[in-house]
């Protein structure tokens, strides 16, 4: 009996130690590999590695950054510098996100944090980053990120500015629509996008019959679809929806409820995932964003990024492009200022703005006078739209950067440029 | 609300309610017999869905066969989990709860990394709609309801008429006395866990063609399943059935009537029930844990 | 070993830990590690409130709700009613206590597993309500919560001042809880936990004493919430979810449920520091944390603090075997 016990204890100790050892031994190679005689610049990021989009973004960065370093990296005051990107898991939560940001700033001594996705971790880490004068080029969809007073923080995701140009296209594709119903997740993003889209729709002469909210993790949309169908709108819009099977399920439910009108959304649908749950008929005619890689005459950058990604992983995922604008903005900002000092970069970006190329099109910083921010803080990018025809996403049109900014100015007011 | 819409919402509520019933029955079995507050229950639901998908898609098996094999696989896996973890703390509710939380962490992240980030979907083996009068209901929902009813009947038969079922009920009532009667309590605990998690896996498999298969699907279903227990009473199978249907119906009609406030409505309903019956509709208020 | 000796050993251990805690900012240079220390202290306070309830036989999966009440109340009082943090802190605690009083008088009547799930529901309701109420920031939460007002030379800019504040709060908590546990009330709680019916026959009102524990535990959580809000600077409903409550329960379990004061300390240490320590393993960290959690529960059912006792009983039985007497079969 005693022997068995001490055997168990020994087994436990061995297992425990090997687990901890495994945990410490597992980290993957540094991003700065391939940078032989170069200085390195440590840059930080936190991603929700408990969600698909976080893992996808990490995979994309693991392709882009080493290739960038191999191609010469950043040229800073004549010297070549490689970027060592440190990514921590923020679990899409404020607590883990804040701890990750604190670790990046105080332990790893980064001065720049890019490509974060979730608003909760971004906002939680903001206060520390601002206090320590760390440049944050964040994704996220919350308006709090671009509120005035965040000197070193810039919103590089285009979610906040994606609705007005969508409706430019919607008017082209569904010119006869006079009524719309919104189906939106009940969270910060959903509510904000729905409120914005209401303004936009009404500015475009389309009446919003109702906004139907669903709990964030809903999969059963039959009741909402029944309600939406009952209102009989010409068009259904999905502000704040997440690309993926959930979106497919919404369209499936709308179709099953008998809705045959137009559908629009500002997201880039994950065609493989959506096709797995929704029939071709359910998706038919959806107006949505199309990834740059799938339009006729894609930019050279888009093509090369897709090639590099496929070379490493063998497959392609459009989702990976959604959350990497910050990387390109970062590189461009350093190029423009020839400095990595957050003060210099933040100052230049805030007062002079920034324009950069990324796989999903050209982008630029804009002011948000409607959010009382008269400095350059948010991002607009040119938008390519597609319509789903017979189960495939076909190019429907492009809205230029100038038109995107113009449409935003018209709806939200103020001078954005 | 027209009669048509009412009927649709009713069928919808019935379908999703029955799925909650399945999952909750498993939870009640595990809680009542094996005394485990299983926070990893949602993960077994998810595994059932993935297993069904794997057998259906990769091995091109018939849907029912895929579900059947998936259920057996999940049951076996749950039995293994029991033997290597919960067995050592059997009877202790809190310790098992903590261990199940650890198991949940392992399975959830393991699923994301192992199955990949791409969310999956299964084509429905039962497309089309059924028209009864002027009410149109999707066939797949009716199949779900039918399957759940069949399974619940099977569960009833298992618990009431088979030796194992009687052993489980005996262990639930009083473990010590059951042991005195010659019941191998350890085996019963393990089988209860296996059966309970198999029920969750079965629910996952049945639901897979209707919705989607994602690594996080267990996470989202967990809290709702506990809500079923809260409404129905923690250790009553009948309570599980009633609770599941109440929740399914409330959500179905709630989404239609009040949209985003359906969650609040649900809590309101639960609150009202708890005010009148603090232990749940069929629950008992017991002194010790 | 005589109980005097174990008592002295315990006091020695405690004093060492206390001393270490006091000088921590001088030993630890990185503000990141100070952040972990501060979050650890908050988690310890939360775990202690769970342990207090467990000490009366009530298991709660709703500890985070009172943490939320404290945080939101404090933020609201300071930002909208212009109160000083030093006033908002106790008020937040009292507000949490008041709500606990109202809720508790309904819930505590039905202890056992019903209580567990009812507290779970309350937690879910609190999160949902906080998300829906736009005046409290909705799902995005409240931003820009100001730091505590400076007192004397303490300015609360760096981590050190916050650390000493939370250490003070934690110490106050520990002392208050210790005083309660040693008093007649604590003995009544033990009696209730060991055998409720017997306690009743002794004239101990189960309801009153449990309600008292519930309210005190909630006040403690509320105070922790207020500190958290002003330290973190932002609060959002997702932080206070049922999963946080479950984690709080685990903090209590890991340390040892029989150790009402030090158990939560040890448990919170493990669950707060382990994931950070394992951060290097990136994606698979939750799997490792989960595995270690399971292993700890299997091999140390009495909690980490039961190790000394197990070692001593193991050595005792080894010595007995050596003397030729039959080994104790466990």
């Amino acid at each position: 009996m005693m022997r068995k016990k001490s055997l168990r204890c020994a087994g436990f100790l061995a297992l425990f130690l090997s687990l901890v050892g495994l945990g410490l031994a597992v980290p993957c190679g540094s991003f700065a590999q391939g940078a032989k005689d170069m200085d390195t610049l440590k840059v930080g990021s936190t991603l929700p590695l408990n969600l698909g989009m976080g893992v996808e973004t990490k995979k994309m960065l693991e392709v882009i950054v080493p290739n960038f370093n191999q191609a010469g990296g950043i040229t800073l005051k004549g010297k070549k510098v490689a970027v060592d990107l440190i990514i921590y898991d923020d679990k899409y939560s404020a607590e883990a996100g804040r701890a990750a940001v604190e670790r990046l700033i105080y332990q790893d001594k980064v001065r720049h944090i890019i490509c974060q996705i979730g608003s909760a971790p971004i906002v939680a880490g903001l206060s520390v980053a601002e206090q320590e004068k760390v440049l944050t080029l964040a994704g996220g969809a919350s308006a709090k990120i671009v509120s005035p007073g965040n000197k070193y923080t810039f919103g590089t995701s285009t979610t906040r500015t994606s609705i007005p140009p969508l409706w430019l296209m919607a008017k082209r594709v569904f010119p006869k629509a006079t009524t719309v119903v919104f189906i939106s997740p009940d969270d910060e993003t959903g509510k904000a996008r729905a409120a914005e889209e209401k303004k936009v729709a009404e500015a475009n002469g389309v009446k919003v019959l109702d906004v139907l909210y669903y709990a964030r993790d809903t999969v059963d949309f039959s009741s909402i679809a029944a309600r939406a169908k009952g209102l009989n709108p010409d068009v259904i819009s999905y502000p704040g929806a997440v690309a993926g099977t959930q979106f497919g399920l919404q369209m499936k439910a709308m179709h099953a409820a008998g809705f045959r009108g137009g559908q629009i959304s500002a997201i880039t649908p994950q065609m493989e995932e959506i096709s797995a749950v929704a029939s071709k008929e359910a998706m038919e005619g959806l107006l949505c964003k199309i990834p740059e890689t799938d339009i006729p005459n894609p930019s050279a950058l888009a093509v090369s990024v897709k090639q590099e990604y496929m070379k490493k992983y063998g497959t392609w995922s459009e989702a990976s492009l959604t959350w990497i604008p910050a990387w390109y903005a970062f590189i461009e900002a350093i190029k423009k200022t020839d400095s990595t000092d957050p003060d210099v970069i933040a100052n230049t970006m805030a007062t002079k703005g920034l324009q950069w190329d990324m796989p999903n099109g050209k982008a630029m910083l804009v002011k948000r006078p409607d959010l009382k921010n008269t400095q350059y803080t948010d991002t607009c990018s040119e938008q390519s739209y597609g319509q789903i025809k017979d189960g495939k996403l076909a190019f429907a049109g492009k809205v230029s950067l100038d038109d995107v900014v113009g449409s935003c100015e018209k709806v939200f007011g103020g001078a954005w440029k | 609300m027209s009669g048509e819409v009412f009927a649709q919402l009713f069928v919808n509520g019935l379908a999703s309610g029955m799925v909650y019933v399945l999952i909750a029955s498993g939870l009640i079995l595990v809680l009542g017999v094996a005394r485990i507050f299983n926070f990893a229950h949602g993960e077994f639901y998810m595994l059932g869905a993935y297993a069904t998908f794997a057998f259906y898609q990769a091995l091109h098996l018939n849907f029912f066969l895929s579900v059947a094999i998936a259920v057996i696989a999940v049951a076996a896996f749950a039995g293994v989990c029991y033997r290597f973890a919960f067995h050592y703390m059997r009877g202790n509710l809190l310790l098992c709860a903590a261990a199940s939380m650890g198991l949940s962490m392992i399975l959830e992240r393991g699923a994301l990394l192992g199955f990949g980030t791409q969310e999956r979907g299964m084509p429905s083996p039962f497309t089309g709609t059924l028209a009864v009068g002027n009410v149109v209901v999707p066939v797949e929902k009716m199949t779900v309801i039918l399957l759940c009813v069949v399974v619940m009947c099977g569960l009833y038969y298992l618990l009431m008429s088979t030796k194992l079922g009687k052993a489980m009920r005996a262990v639930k009532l009083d473990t010590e006395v059951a042991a005195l009667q010659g019941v191998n309590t350890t085996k019963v605990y393990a089988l209860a866990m296996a059966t309970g998690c198999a029920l969750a896996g079965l629910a996952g498999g049945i639901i897979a063609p209707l919705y989607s298969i994602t690594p996080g699907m267990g996470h989202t279903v967990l809290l709702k399943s506990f809500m079923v227990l809260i409404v129905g009473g923690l250790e009553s199978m009948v309570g599980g059935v009633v609770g599941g249907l109440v929740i399914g119906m409330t959500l179905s009609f709630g989404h239609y009537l009040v949209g985003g406030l359906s969650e609040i409505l649900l809590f309101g309903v639960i609150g009202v029930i708890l005010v009148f019956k603090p232990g749940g509709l069929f629950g008992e208020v017991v002194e010790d844990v | 070993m005589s109980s005097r000796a174990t008592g002295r050993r315990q006091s020695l251990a405690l004093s060492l830990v206390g001393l270490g805690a006091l000088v921590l900012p001088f030993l630890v240079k990185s503000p990141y590690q100070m952040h972990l220390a501060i979050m650890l202290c908050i988690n310890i306070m939360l775990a202690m409130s769970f342990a207090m309830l467990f000490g009366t036989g009530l298991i709660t999966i709703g500890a985070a709700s009172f943490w939320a009440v404290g945080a939101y109340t404090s933020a609201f009082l300071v930002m909208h009613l212009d109160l000083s943090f030093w006033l908002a802190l106790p008020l937040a605690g009292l507000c949490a206590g008041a709500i606990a009083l109202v809720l508790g008088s309904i819930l505590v009547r039905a202890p056992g597993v019903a209580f567990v799930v009812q507290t779970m529901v309350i937690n879910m309701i609190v999160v949902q309500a906080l998300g829906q109420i736009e005046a409290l920031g909705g799902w995005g939460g409240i931003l820009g919560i100001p730091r505590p007002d400076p007192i004397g030379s303490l300015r609360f800019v760096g981590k050190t001042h916050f650390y000493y504040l939370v250490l003070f709060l934690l110490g106050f908590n520990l002392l208050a809880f210790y005083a309660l546990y040693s008093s007649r009330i604590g003995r009544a709680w033990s009696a209730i936990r060991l055998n409720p019916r017997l306690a009743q026959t002794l004239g101990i009102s189960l309801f009153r004493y449990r309600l008292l524990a519930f309210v005190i535990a909630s006040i403690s959580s509320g105070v922790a919430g207020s500190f958290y809000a002003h330290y973190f600077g932002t609060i959002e409903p997702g932080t206070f979810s049922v999963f946080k409550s479950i984690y709080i329960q685990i903090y209590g379990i890991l340390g040892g449920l029989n150790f009402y004061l030090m158990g939560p300390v040890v448990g919170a240490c493990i669950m707060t520091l382990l994931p950070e320590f394992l951060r290097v393993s990136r994606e698979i960290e939750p799997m490792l944390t989960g595995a270690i959690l399971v292993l700890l529960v299997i091999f140390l059912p009495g909690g980490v603090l039961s190790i000394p006792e197990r070692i001593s009983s193991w050595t005792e039985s080894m010595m007995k075997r050596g003397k030729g007497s039959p080994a104790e079969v466990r």
Side-chain angles (χ1 to χ4, degrees), chain A residues 23 27 58 89 91 96 98-99 102-103 106-107 123 144 186 188 191, chain C residues 30-32 35 132 139 143 159 232 276 279-281 283 285 288:
Chain A
K58 180 163 181 276
D89 185 1
K91 302 186 184 148
R98 168 68 167 257
E102 297 244 1
R103 184 166 173 142
Y106 294 119
Q107 196 103 322
V123 167
K144 297 184 160 77
D186 185 27
E188 198 194 357
K191 289 195 161 150
Chain C
S30 164
Y32 161 66
H35 169 75
Q132 296 286 354
W139 294 108
L143 239 74
K159 299 274 191 265
F232 225 68
E276 292 298 322
R279 233 183 219 292
V280 231
S281 56
E283 287 105 21
E285 175 267 313
L288 295 176

CSV table of all heavy atoms in Angstrom, one decimal, chain A residues 23 27 58 89 91 96 98-99 102-103 106-107 123 144 186 188 191, chain C residues 30-32 35 132 139 143 159 232 276 279-281 283 285 288:
chain,number,residue,atom,x,y,z
A,23,GLY,N,5.9,23.1,-20.9
A,23,GLY,CA,5.4,24.5,-21.1
A,23,GLY,C,6.6,25.5,-21.4
A,23,GLY,O,6.4,26.4,-22.2
A,27,PRO,N,7.9,27.0,-26.7
A,27,PRO,CA,7.8,28.2,-27.5
A,27,PRO,C,8.4,28.1,-28.9
A,27,PRO,O,9.5,27.5,-29.1
A,27,PRO,CB,8.6,29.3,-26.7
A,27,PRO,CG,9.3,28.6,-25.7
A,27,PRO,CD,8.5,27.4,-25.4
A,58,LYS,N,-2.2,35.2,-36.1
A,58,LYS,CA,-0.9,34.8,-35.7
A,58,LYS,C,-0.2,34.1,-36.8
A,58,LYS,O,1.0,34.3,-37.2
A,58,LYS,CB,-0.9,33.9,-34.5
A,58,LYS,CG,0.4,33.5,-34.0
A,58,LYS,CD,0.3,32.9,-32.5
A,58,LYS,CE,1.6,32.5,-32.0
A,58,LYS,NZ,2.0,31.2,-32.3
A,89,ASP,N,-0.9,35.7,-25.6
A,89,ASP,CA,-2.4,35.3,-25.7
A,89,ASP,C,-3.1,36.2,-24.7
A,89,ASP,O,-2.8,36.3,-23.5
A,89,ASP,CB,-2.5,33.8,-25.2
A,89,ASP,CG,-3.9,33.3,-25.4
A,89,ASP,OD1,-4.8,34.1,-25.8
A,89,ASP,OD2,-4.1,32.2,-25.0
A,91,LYS,N,-6.5,36.0,-24.6
A,91,LYS,CA,-7.7,35.2,-24.3
A,91,LYS,C,-9.0,36.1,-24.5
A,91,LYS,O,-10.0,35.8,-23.9
A,91,LYS,CB,-7.7,34.6,-22.9
A,91,LYS,CG,-6.5,33.7,-22.7
A,91,LYS,CD,-6.6,33.1,-21.3
A,91,LYS,CE,-5.3,32.3,-21.2
A,91,LYS,NZ,-4.8,32.1,-19.9
A,96,ALA,N,-6.5,39.0,-18.9
A,96,ALA,CA,-5.3,38.4,-19.5
A,96,ALA,C,-4.6,39.4,-20.4
A,96,ALA,O,-3.4,39.5,-20.6
A,96,ALA,CB,-5.7,37.2,-20.2
A,98,ARG,N,-4.6,42.7,-20.2
A,98,ARG,CA,-3.8,43.7,-19.4
A,98,ARG,C,-2.5,43.1,-18.9
A,98,ARG,O,-1.4,43.7,-19.0
A,98,ARG,CB,-4.6,44.2,-18.2
A,98,ARG,CG,-3.9,45.0,-17.2
A,98,ARG,CD,-3.5,46.3,-17.7
A,98,ARG,NE,-3.1,47.1,-16.5
A,98,ARG,CZ,-3.9,48.0,-16.0
A,98,ARG,NH1,-5.0,48.4,-16.5
A,98,ARG,NH2,-3.5,48.7,-14.9
A,99,ALA,N,-2.5,41.9,-18.4
A,99,ALA,CA,-1.3,41.2,-18.0
A,99,ALA,C,-0.3,41.1,-19.1
A,99,ALA,O,0.9,41.3,-19.0
A,99,ALA,CB,-1.6,39.9,-17.3
A,102,GLU,N,1.2,44.5,-19.9
A,102,GLU,CA,2.1,44.8,-18.9
A,102,GLU,C,3.5,44.1,-19.1
A,102,GLU,O,4.6,44.6,-18.9
A,102,GLU,CB,1.6,44.5,-17.5
A,102,GLU,CG,0.3,45.3,-17.1
A,102,GLU,CD,0.5,46.2,-15.9
A,102,GLU,OE1,1.6,46.3,-15.4
A,102,GLU,OE2,-0.4,46.9,-15.5
A,103,ARG,N,3.3,42.8,-19.4
A,103,ARG,CA,4.5,42.0,-19.6
A,103,ARG,C,5.3,42.5,-20.8
A,103,ARG,O,6.5,42.7,-20.7
A,103,ARG,CB,4.1,40.5,-19.8
A,103,ARG,CG,5.3,39.7,-19.9
A,103,ARG,CD,4.9,38.2,-19.8
A,103,ARG,NE,6.0,37.3,-20.1
A,103,ARG,CZ,6.3,36.2,-19.4
A,103,ARG,NH1,5.5,35.9,-18.5
A,103,ARG,NH2,7.3,35.5,-19.8
A,106,TYR,N,6.9,46.0,-19.7
A,106,TYR,CA,7.8,46.1,-18.6
A,106,TYR,C,8.8,45.0,-18.6
A,106,TYR,O,9.9,45.1,-18.1
A,106,TYR,CB,7.1,46.1,-17.2
A,106,TYR,CG,6.2,47.3,-17.0
A,106,TYR,CD1,4.8,47.2,-16.8
A,106,TYR,CD2,6.8,48.6,-16.9
A,106,TYR,CE1,4.1,48.3,-16.6
A,106,TYR,CE2,6.0,49.7,-16.7
A,106,TYR,CZ,4.6,49.5,-16.6
A,106,TYR,OH,3.9,50.6,-16.4
A,107,GLN,N,8.5,43.8,-19.1
A,107,GLN,CA,9.4,42.7,-19.1
A,107,GLN,C,10.2,42.7,-20.4
A,107,GLN,O,11.4,42.6,-20.4
A,107,GLN,CB,8.6,41.4,-18.9
A,107,GLN,CG,9.4,40.3,-18.5
A,107,GLN,CD,9.3,40.0,-17.0
A,107,GLN,OE1,9.2,40.9,-16.2
A,107,GLN,NE2,9.2,38.7,-16.7
A,123,VAL,N,-8.6,47.9,-24.7
A,123,VAL,CA,-9.0,49.0,-23.7
A,123,VAL,C,-8.3,48.8,-22.4
A,123,VAL,O,-7.9,49.8,-21.7
A,123,VAL,CB,-10.5,49.1,-23.6
A,123,VAL,CG1,-10.9,50.0,-22.5
A,123,VAL,CG2,-11.1,49.6,-24.9
A,144,LYS,N,-14.1,53.6,-28.2
A,144,LYS,CA,-13.2,54.1,-27.1
A,144,LYS,C,-11.8,54.2,-27.4
A,144,LYS,O,-11.0,54.9,-26.9
A,144,LYS,CB,-13.4,53.2,-25.9
A,144,LYS,CG,-14.9,53.2,-25.3
A,144,LYS,CD,-15.0,52.3,-24.1
A,144,LYS,CE,-16.2,52.7,-23.3
A,144,LYS,NZ,-17.5,52.2,-23.8
A,186,ASP,N,-25.8,41.4,-29.7
A,186,ASP,CA,-26.0,42.3,-28.6
A,186,ASP,C,-24.7,42.4,-27.9
A,186,ASP,O,-24.5,41.9,-26.8
A,186,ASP,CB,-27.1,41.6,-27.7
A,186,ASP,CG,-27.4,42.6,-26.5
A,186,ASP,OD1,-27.3,43.8,-26.7
A,186,ASP,OD2,-27.8,42.0,-25.5
A,188,GLU,N,-21.0,45.4,-27.7
A,188,GLU,CA,-20.6,46.8,-28.0
A,188,GLU,C,-20.5,47.0,-29.5
A,188,GLU,O,-21.0,48.0,-30.0
A,188,GLU,CB,-19.3,47.0,-27.3
A,188,GLU,CG,-19.0,48.5,-27.1
A,188,GLU,CD,-17.6,48.8,-26.8
A,188,GLU,OE1,-16.8,47.9,-26.6
A,188,GLU,OE2,-17.2,50.0,-26.7
A,191,LYS,N,-24.0,47.0,-31.2
A,191,LYS,CA,-24.9,48.1,-30.9
A,191,LYS,C,-24.3,49.4,-31.6
A,191,LYS,O,-25.1,50.2,-32.2
A,191,LYS,CB,-24.9,48.3,-29.4
A,191,LYS,CG,-25.8,47.3,-28.7
A,191,LYS,CD,-26.1,47.7,-27.3
A,191,LYS,CE,-27.3,46.9,-26.9
A,191,LYS,NZ,-27.3,46.7,-25.5
C,30,SER,N,10.5,44.7,-11.7
C,30,SER,CA,9.6,44.9,-12.8
C,30,SER,C,8.2,45.2,-12.5
C,30,SER,O,7.6,44.5,-11.7
C,30,SER,CB,9.6,43.6,-13.6
C,30,SER,OG,8.6,43.5,-14.6
C,31,PRO,N,7.7,46.3,-13.0
C,31,PRO,CA,6.3,46.7,-12.7
C,31,PRO,C,5.3,45.6,-13.2
C,31,PRO,O,4.2,45.5,-12.6
C,31,PRO,CB,6.1,48.0,-13.6
C,31,PRO,CG,7.4,48.5,-13.8
C,31,PRO,CD,8.3,47.3,-13.9
C,32,TYR,N,5.7,44.8,-14.2
C,32,TYR,CA,4.8,43.7,-14.6
C,32,TYR,C,4.6,42.7,-13.4
C,32,TYR,O,3.5,42.3,-13.2
C,32,TYR,CB,5.5,43.0,-15.8
C,32,TYR,CG,5.0,41.6,-16.1
C,32,TYR,CD1,3.6,41.4,-16.5
C,32,TYR,CD2,5.8,40.5,-15.9
C,32,TYR,CE1,3.2,40.1,-16.7
C,32,TYR,CE2,5.3,39.2,-16.2
C,32,TYR,CZ,4.0,39.0,-16.6
C,32,TYR,OH,3.6,37.8,-16.8
C,35,HIS,N,2.4,44.1,-11.0
C,35,HIS,CA,1.0,44.0,-11.4
C,35,HIS,C,0.5,42.6,-11.0
C,35,HIS,O,-0.6,42.5,-10.5
C,35,HIS,CB,1.0,44.2,-12.9
C,35,HIS,CG,-0.4,43.9,-13.5
C,35,HIS,ND1,-1.5,44.6,-13.4
C,35,HIS,CD2,-0.8,42.8,-14.2
C,35,HIS,CE1,-2.5,44.1,-14.0
C,35,HIS,NE2,-2.1,42.9,-14.5
C,132,GLN,N,-26.4,45.5,-20.4
C,132,GLN,CA,-27.5,46.1,-21.1
C,132,GLN,C,-27.7,47.6,-20.7
C,132,GLN,O,-28.2,48.4,-21.4
C,132,GLN,CB,-28.9,45.4,-20.7
C,132,GLN,CG,-28.9,44.0,-21.2
C,132,GLN,CD,-29.2,43.9,-22.7
C,132,GLN,OE1,-29.4,44.9,-23.4
C,132,GLN,NE2,-29.1,42.7,-23.3
C,139,TRP,N,-21.8,46.9,-22.8
C,139,TRP,CA,-20.9,45.9,-22.9
C,139,TRP,C,-19.4,46.4,-23.0
C,139,TRP,O,-18.5,45.7,-22.7
C,139,TRP,CB,-21.2,45.0,-24.2
C,139,TRP,CG,-22.5,44.3,-24.0
C,139,TRP,CD1,-23.6,44.5,-24.7
C,139,TRP,CD2,-22.7,43.2,-23.2
C,139,TRP,NE1,-24.6,43.7,-24.3
C,139,TRP,CE2,-24.1,42.8,-23.4
C,139,TRP,CE3,-21.9,42.5,-22.3
C,139,TRP,CZ2,-24.7,41.8,-22.7
C,139,TRP,CZ3,-22.5,41.4,-21.6
C,139,TRP,CH2,-23.9,41.1,-21.8
C,143,LEU,N,-14.6,53.5,-18.9
C,143,LEU,CA,-13.2,53.8,-19.1
C,143,LEU,C,-12.7,54.9,-18.3
C,143,LEU,O,-13.5,55.7,-17.8
C,143,LEU,CB,-13.1,54.3,-20.6
C,143,LEU,CG,-12.1,53.4,-21.4
C,143,LEU,CD1,-12.8,52.2,-21.7
C,143,LEU,CD2,-11.8,54.1,-22.7
C,159,LYS,N,3.3,51.4,-9.5
C,159,LYS,CA,2.6,50.3,-9.0
C,159,LYS,C,2.8,50.2,-7.4
C,159,LYS,O,1.9,49.6,-6.7
C,159,LYS,CB,3.3,49.0,-9.6
C,159,LYS,CG,3.1,48.9,-11.0
C,159,LYS,CD,1.8,48.3,-11.4
C,159,LYS,CE,1.7,47.9,-12.8
C,159,LYS,NZ,1.1,48.9,-13.7
C,232,PHE,N,-7.2,49.3,-12.2
C,232,PHE,CA,-7.2,48.9,-13.6
C,232,PHE,C,-7.6,50.0,-14.5
C,232,PHE,O,-7.1,50.1,-15.6
C,232,PHE,CB,-8.3,47.8,-13.7
C,232,PHE,CG,-7.9,46.6,-14.6
C,232,PHE,CD1,-6.9,45.7,-14.1
C,232,PHE,CD2,-8.4,46.4,-15.8
C,232,PHE,CE1,-6.5,44.6,-14.8
C,232,PHE,CE2,-8.0,45.3,-16.6
C,232,PHE,CZ,-7.1,44.4,-16.1
C,276,GLU,N,0.7,32.9,-16.0
C,276,GLU,CA,1.7,33.8,-16.4
C,276,GLU,C,3.1,33.2,-16.6
C,276,GLU,O,3.8,33.5,-17.5
C,276,GLU,CB,1.8,35.0,-15.4
C,276,GLU,CG,0.5,35.8,-15.4
C,276,GLU,CD,0.3,36.6,-16.7
C,276,GLU,OE1,1.2,37.0,-17.3
C,276,GLU,OE2,-0.9,36.6,-17.1
C,279,ARG,N,3.3,31.4,-19.8
C,279,ARG,CA,3.1,32.3,-20.9
C,279,ARG,C,3.9,31.9,-22.1
C,279,ARG,O,3.6,32.0,-23.2
C,279,ARG,CB,3.2,33.7,-20.6
C,279,ARG,CG,2.0,34.5,-20.9
C,279,ARG,CD,2.2,36.0,-20.7
C,279,ARG,NE,1.0,36.5,-20.2
C,279,ARG,CZ,-0.1,36.6,-20.9
C,279,ARG,NH1,-0.2,36.2,-22.1
C,279,ARG,NH2,-1.2,37.1,-20.3
C,280,VAL,N,5.1,31.4,-21.8
C,280,VAL,CA,6.1,31.1,-22.8
C,280,VAL,C,5.5,30.1,-23.8
C,280,VAL,O,5.9,30.0,-24.9
C,280,VAL,CB,7.4,30.6,-22.3
C,280,VAL,CG1,8.5,31.3,-22.8
C,280,VAL,CG2,7.4,30.6,-20.8
C,281,SER,N,4.6,29.2,-23.2
C,281,SER,CA,4.1,28.2,-24.1
C,281,SER,C,3.0,28.6,-25.0
C,281,SER,O,2.4,27.8,-25.6
C,281,SER,CB,3.7,27.0,-23.2
C,281,SER,OG,2.7,27.5,-22.3
C,283,GLU,N,0.2,29.1,-27.2
C,283,GLU,CA,-1.2,28.6,-27.5
C,283,GLU,C,-1.6,27.5,-26.5
C,283,GLU,O,-2.7,27.4,-26.2
C,283,GLU,CB,-1.3,28.0,-28.9
C,283,GLU,CG,-1.3,28.9,-30.0
C,283,GLU,CD,0.0,28.9,-30.7
C,283,GLU,OE1,0.7,28.0,-30.6
C,283,GLU,OE2,0.3,29.9,-31.4
C,285,GLU,N,-0.9,27.0,-23.4
C,285,GLU,CA,-0.9,27.3,-22.0
C,285,GLU,C,-2.1,26.8,-21.2
C,285,GLU,O,-2.0,26.2,-20.2
C,285,GLU,CB,-0.6,28.8,-21.8
C,285,GLU,CG,-0.7,29.2,-20.3
C,285,GLU,CD,-2.1,29.7,-19.9
C,285,GLU,OE1,-2.6,30.5,-20.7
C,285,GLU,OE2,-2.6,29.2,-18.9
C,288,LEU,N,-1.9,23.2,-20.4
C,288,LEU,CA,-1.0,22.9,-19.3
C,288,LEU,C,-1.5,23.3,-18.0
C,288,LEU,O,-1.5,22.5,-17.0
C,288,LEU,CB,0.4,23.6,-19.6
C,288,LEU,CG,1.1,23.1,-20.8
C,288,LEU,CD1,2.3,24.0,-21.0
C,288,LEU,CD2,1.5,21.7,-20.7
